[in-house]
Amino acid sequence: MNDAHVLYIEDNPENRLLVKRVLEAEGYSVAEAADGPTGLEMATQTRPDLILLDINLPEIDGYDLARCFRDTPGLQQVPILAITANVMQGDRERTLAAGCDGYIQKPIDVDRLPDQVRAALQKTGT
């Protein structure tokens, strides 16, 4: 199970490093993208098992990027977990409506993250 390939799209290098360290310690391979266009290109080329997606990205936000993934052949079934500081009423619903399968609030709880990733992968049988 833990040989899954995760793509993390996040513009904050400290957050990318933290998530990469936590998930790699659990046996996942983690690729990183600092912006939406790079993330979309990487996802199209590598077909990850799971996408972790920051919502507040430069150029194209996570909502629009999630919609792009859902419209891209080969990526439509890849689970997407939003990782975001947007915690106002309606943000969770907006995230799910954009095509994300789950929602993780920042600051990231590093003790819960591996279980959240595992649960998302289990839903798809990955």
Side-chain angles (χ1 to χ4, degrees):
M1 172 65 79
N2 287 9
D3 60 348
H5 175 66
V6 176
L7 173 60
Y8 184 28
I9 306 169
E10 163 70 65
D11 59 322
N12 182 303
E14 290 86 12
N15 288 348
R16 287 197 314 268
L17 181 61
L18 174 67
V19 167
K20 184 176 178 86
R21 284 184 175 167
V22 168
L23 294 182
E24 285 183 344
E26 295 288 323
Y28 296 100
S29 70
V30 180
E32 306 168 56
D35 58 57
T38 302
L40 183 58
E41 181 180 335
M42 289 175 69
T44 303
Q45 291 174 355
T46 65
R47 306 277 194 240
D49 297 306
L50 175 75
I51 297 169
L52 296 175
L53 178 60
D54 182 28
I55 294 299
N56 298 313
L57 292 168
E59 296 181 58
I60 178 173
D61 69 28
Y63 300 115
D64 289 336
L65 193 55
R67 289 183 197 98
C68 287
F69 290 134
R70 293 301 174 226
D71 291 338
T72 301
L75 296 177
Q76 290 137 335
Q77 303 305 316
V78 175
I80 303 170
L81 292 180
I83 297 183
T84 181
N86 296 354
V87 295
M88 300 297 289
Q89 185 173 0
D91 285 335
R92 177 177 171 74
E93 293 76 14
R94 183 174 175 207
T95 301
L96 298 176
C100 294
D101 299 290
Y103 179 91
I104 298 171
Q105 286 180 267
K106 288 182 180 176
I108 297 166
D109 181 340
V110 295
D111 293 325
R112 291 189 59 219
L113 181 63
D115 291 333
Q116 292 168 310
V117 167
R118 193 172 302 110
L121 289 167
Q122 285 174 346
K123 284 183 184 177
T124 63
T126 304

